[in-house]
Amino acid sequence: MQKYIVISNDIRNKIVKGEYVANQQIPFEKDMCIHYNASKMTVKKALDILVAEGLVIKRRGSGTFVKDLNLEEIERVTMANQFRGTTALNAGKKVHSKILNFSIVKVPDEAAKKLNIPLGSFVYDIYRVRYVEDEPSVMEKIYMPIDLIPNIKEKNINGSIYDYIEKDLHLKIQSAHRTVSVRKATDFEAEELGLEKGDPVAVAEQVGYLDTGNAFEFSTSVHRYDKFAVEIVLTRN
């Protein structure tokens, strides 16, 4: 992942989590260059992304400040941040995968319905464990149509699939529909996630959509109970 993306992800996460609050000045560019070990141009590109997203504003001669977002904007940013993927949500940290399966199969019935594609279509069948700083965090079972997301390689499975989709294929991930439930881990999940038998896990079933309206992903993610949180913004009309 390119360095300016890592930096923009890290700052965005801090805004969503409230580490940077409305109207707060974020560090000067020269200080961020030192903190992220990055060039001035790289930091500028990162900030330009956040300006374009409406998260920060630059004040000539004063610096860069967190925008005072209204409730609708907060909801938009919070929801968007939740489906950026493990790599983006852990910017600056070492993230890698243990690949349990990577193959091309005929789409299973349930996945065909979720992806709105015909039975007999071919999809990637991806099963992996995501590690953050060498600790298991989540197990992901993913189906993606090969005609919509072509040429996925093992290196993409080990890294960020979302990054490949947006940076290499130049597709835009627009939204996701997610359902979250809680249950006990299976013995296999407990072993892979470093849990005790019978420990709880959070299970997130998700269908992801491109800005074209096409469903590109049907996934089921099994999260460690101590490494998962859902951020929800409630508004009253």
Side-chain angles (χ1 to χ4, degrees):
M1 182 176 289
Q2 295 174 311
K3 193 65 172 285
Y4 70 90
I5 298 294
V6 173
I7 296 171
S8 65
N9 286 341
D10 189 43
I11 297 173
R12 184 188 302 104
N13 290 342
K14 289 178 178 178
I15 293 173
V16 170
K17 293 176 181 177
E19 294 180 36
Y20 292 148
V21 299
N23 299 312
Q24 178 180 348
Q25 182 177 11
I26 66 175
F28 289 110
E29 289 186 17
K30 63 178 181 179
D31 295 323
M32 284 194 278
C33 290
I34 296 172
H35 177 73
Y36 292 108
N37 190 26
S39 68
K40 183 176 180 180
M41 181 59 68
T42 298
V43 170
K44 182 181 182 302
K45 288 179 71 175
L47 292 178
D48 286 345
I49 290 174
L50 300 175
V51 169
E53 291 179 352
L55 294 179
V56 301
I57 56 175
K58 292 184 177 181
R59 297 174 183 168
R60 185 181 298 273
S62 297
T64 304
F65 295 79
V66 179
K67 187 177 177 181
D68 190 1
L69 302 175
N70 61 40
L71 287 176
E72 183 177 338
E73 291 171 322
I74 292 172
E75 182 175 11
R76 171 184 63 81
V77 174
T78 300
M79 295 305 295
N81 209 48
Q82 288 187 53
F83 62 85
R84 291 181 183 276
T86 303
T87 301
L89 291 174
N90 292 276
K93 297 181 180 179
K94 178 184 176 184
V95 178
H96 72 279
S97 301
K98 175 182 177 181
I99 301 174
L100 303 175
N101 180 65
F102 176 36
S103 58
I104 294 176
V105 300
K106 286 187 177 180
V107 62
D109 289 357
E110 183 182 11
K113 294 175 183 177
K114 296 289 186 179
L115 294 168
N116 195 27
I117 59 177
L119 287 172
S121 301
F122 286 93
V123 293
Y124 298 105
D125 182 344
I126 301 165
Y127 195 24
R128 63 181 182 171
V129 184
R130 299 289 271 160
Y131 284 74
V132 179
E133 298 292 4
D134 295 323
E135 291 188 359
S137 177
V138 57
M139 299 179 71
E140 298 175 338
K141 179 71 169 177
I142 305 168
Y143 295 105
M144 287 185 176
I146 63 172
D147 59 344
L148 191 61
I149 311 295
N151 301 319
I152 292 180
K153 307 297 183 184
E154 187 170 310
K155 66 179 182 179
N156 308 124
I157 306 302
N158 188 56
S160 171
I161 301 176
Y162 285 7
D163 194 48
Y164 169 72
I165 291 171
E166 295 198 309
K167 304 306 176 186
D168 290 64
L169 299 181
H170 305 291
L171 300 173
K172 184 177 180 182
I173 299 171
Q174 180 68 43
S175 62
H177 295 174
R178 176 183 293 180
T179 302
V180 179
S181 59
V182 178
R183 61 167 170 78
K184 290 183 179 180
T186 65
D187 289 351
F188 180 65
E189 291 165 348
E191 181 180 356
E192 290 292 336
L193 292 173
L195 298 170
E196 298 293 331
K197 288 187 177 181
D199 273 353
V201 288
V203 181
E205 184 180 284
Q206 176 170 297
V207 179
Y209 296 88
L210 302 175
D211 63 348
T212 58
N214 295 106
F216 76 94
E217 169 198 47
F218 170 52
S219 65
T220 302
S221 303
V222 179
H223 299 257
R224 284 181 58 112
Y225 68 90
D226 57 347
K227 297 183 181 295
F228 180 76
V230 177
E231 298 173 75
I232 301 174
V233 177
L234 300 176
T235 60
R236 184 176 181 180
N237 295 326

